[in-house]
Amino acid sequence: QGSESPCARQPHASDQFKSTPNASAMSGYDRAITVFSPDGHLFQVEYALEAVRKGTTTVGVRGKDCVILAVEKRATPKLQDPRTIRKILTVDNDIALAFAGLNADARVLVDKTRIECQSYRLNVEDNPTVDYVARFIARTQQKYTHRGGVRPFGISTLLGGFNTDGVPELYQTDPAGTYYAWKATAIGKNSKSVVDFLEKKYVEDLAEDAALRLALKGLLEVTEASGKNIEVVIVRKSGLHWMKEDELDPLLKELDDTAEKITKLKETK
């Protein structure tokens, strides 16, 4: 008599969601790009930022008369042409863009930006400044956070160039559509460690060689760098200079003190 009826309802997997209404409610905001969650989040934008954090480490340093952009490149397959894998792209004659995140998204965003630069030159009869380009990229990225049927761009960018007074400037944009000017910064994987290093070592009005060394040292903090897996561009008033492997290798060997660190650790033990 005291036994349970064989027809009694068995627990179902969906019961846990009924007992926790917040879990099921939040899952809807997780999928909708144009709807804020009750606690003020746009989850798809945050996921795009997460894609950036998984991207390759990218460092930017502003010098007295130049901007250095340095990027860690992933190893390319033996049979692949490495020229087709670019992490630093030319936006205009004297503006370079480095990115962390999805390569395909970067290609589309850079194409839009190049067209805008050409349109600006046609209408204004002058070169676009780096702050104008940064505002355009941020505006474009922001448009993709509040429209249905699209998703945010899964990239953050670092832009190096010059303003109307000929002063070098470094800008960062992110998937949310915000943009900032920096003296030195990093995006992508392990960027926090690199930013901490740059905060300790950066000084005002760095010469070109000192700015280059600082950017490379920042990358060496989190990667085992060589000329093959690092891409570096120096943005000068005269144009862009892409550093070659034979230029980078001796500099990286000089700066890489990993072996010394290991020796010191063994001595302290």
Side-chain angles (χ1 to χ4, degrees), residues 32 82 164 213 245 257:
T164 49
R213 286 168 178 268
E245 195 175 315
D257 55 358

Side-chain angles (χ1 to χ4, degrees), residues 212-213 216-217 220 223-230 243-261:
L212 175 61
R213 286 168 178 268
L216 293 176
K217 281 283 280 181
L220 287 167
T223 62
E224 291 183 9
S226 71
K228 288 183 179 178
N229 69 343
I230 279 189
M243 293 197 73
K244 295 175 182 173
E245 195 175 315
D246 55 357
E247 292 178 280
L248 285 170
D249 274 330
L251 197 53
L252 289 166
K253 282 176 185 173
E254 181 190 333
L255 294 171
D256 192 1
D257 55 358
T258 310
E260 292 174 26
K261 286 179 184 175

Side-chain angles (χ1 to χ4, degrees), residues 135-209:
R135 285 198 307 273
F136 172 79
I137 291 176
R139 186 165 70 246
T140 304
Q141 286 182 294
Q142 197 277 334
K143 282 179 184 175
Y144 281 72
T145 66
H146 66 244
R147 288 181 177 177
V150 297
R151 65 162 176 78
F153 284 98
I155 64 163
S156 280
T157 69
L158 292 182
L159 282 159
F162 294 84
N163 64 16
T164 49
D165 299 321
V167 177
E169 290 189 332
L170 172 67
Y171 280 89
Q172 176 197 346
T173 73
D174 64 30
T178 53
Y179 71 98
Y180 310 96
W182 293 87
K183 296 174 183 176
T185 191
I187 54 176
K189 192 185 292 182
N190 300 317
S191 58
K192 190 178 185 306
S193 301
V194 181
V195 170
D196 290 343
F197 171 82
L198 293 172
E199 284 176 353
K200 291 174 189 171
K201 300 292 184 181
Y202 183 84
V203 293
E204 296 287 341
D205 294 332
L206 285 167
E208 184 179 298
D209 184 60

Side-chain angles (χ1 to χ4, degrees), residues 224 257-269:
E224 291 183 9
D257 55 358
T258 310
E260 292 174 26
K261 286 179 184 175
I262 292 168
T263 307
K264 284 180 183 177
L265 281 171
K266 285 178 179 175
E267 286 172 1
T268 54
K269 287 177 182 177

Side-chain angles (χ1 to χ4, degrees), residues 111-124:
D111 283 348
K112 287 176 182 287
T113 308
R114 285 170 175 164
I115 292 168
E116 178 64 22
C117 288
Q118 294 301 314
S119 174
Y120 182 94
R121 185 177 276 102
L122 187 67
N123 292 323
V124 183

